[in-house]
């Protein structure tokens, strides 16, 4: 529905361009601006609601539970949260290793630089 509204505002904007009376044109321009602001606010609200729904699916177990049921239990949510924390810890470990490798390479580069003087 928002796409349809945006399309209508574009059409409205083109129609306004055809108006010759300056006062009437400015009145419709203000009205168009008001419509565009309303549509922008509604679009932002829809995006917020969608992202909130997706976020809640992550924690409440968007996957089926182990028994094959479609519902998500609190235990599934805890398990999903633990899995996310494990993944985060694994990522931090990899980041730490990459940092160590980078520091080692910097040290080697300094040695090479000092040796070439």
């Amino acid at each position: 529905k928002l796409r349809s509204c945006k399309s209508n505002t574009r059409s409205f904007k083109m129609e306004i361009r055809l108006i010759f009376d300056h006062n009437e044109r400015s009145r419709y321009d203000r009205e168009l601006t008001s419509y565009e602001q309303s549509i922008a606010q509604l679009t932002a609200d829809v995006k917020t609601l969608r992202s909130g729904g997706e976020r809640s699916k992550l924690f409440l177990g968007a996957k089926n539970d182990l028994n094959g049921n479609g519902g998500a239990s609190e235990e599934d949510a805890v398990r999903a949260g633990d899995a996310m924390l494990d993944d985060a810890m694994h990522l931090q470990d990899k980041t730490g290793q990459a940092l160590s490798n980078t520091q080692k390479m910097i040290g080697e580069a300094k040695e090479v630089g000092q040796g070439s003087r």
Side-chain angles (χ1 to χ4, degrees), residues 98-112:
L99 179 61
S100 295
N101 290 340
T102 302
Q103 288 173 337
K104 181 181 171 186
M105 288 174 32
I106 289 172
E108 291 171 356
K110 283 182 180 179
E111 288 177 14
V112 169

Side-chain angles (χ1 to χ4, degrees), residues 6 15 18 25 31 52 72 80 97 101 104 112:
K6 287 179 182 180
E15 292 293 329
L18 300 175
R25 177 186 259 183
E31 195 173 326
Q97 290 172 355
N101 290 340
K104 181 181 171 186
V112 169

Side-chain angles (χ1 to χ4, degrees), residues 76-93:
D76 291 336
V78 170
R79 218 177 292 128
D82 289 343
M84 288 175 60
L85 289 174
D86 289 341
D87 288 344
M89 289 176 64
H90 179 69
L91 182 61
Q92 283 182 335
D93 290 341

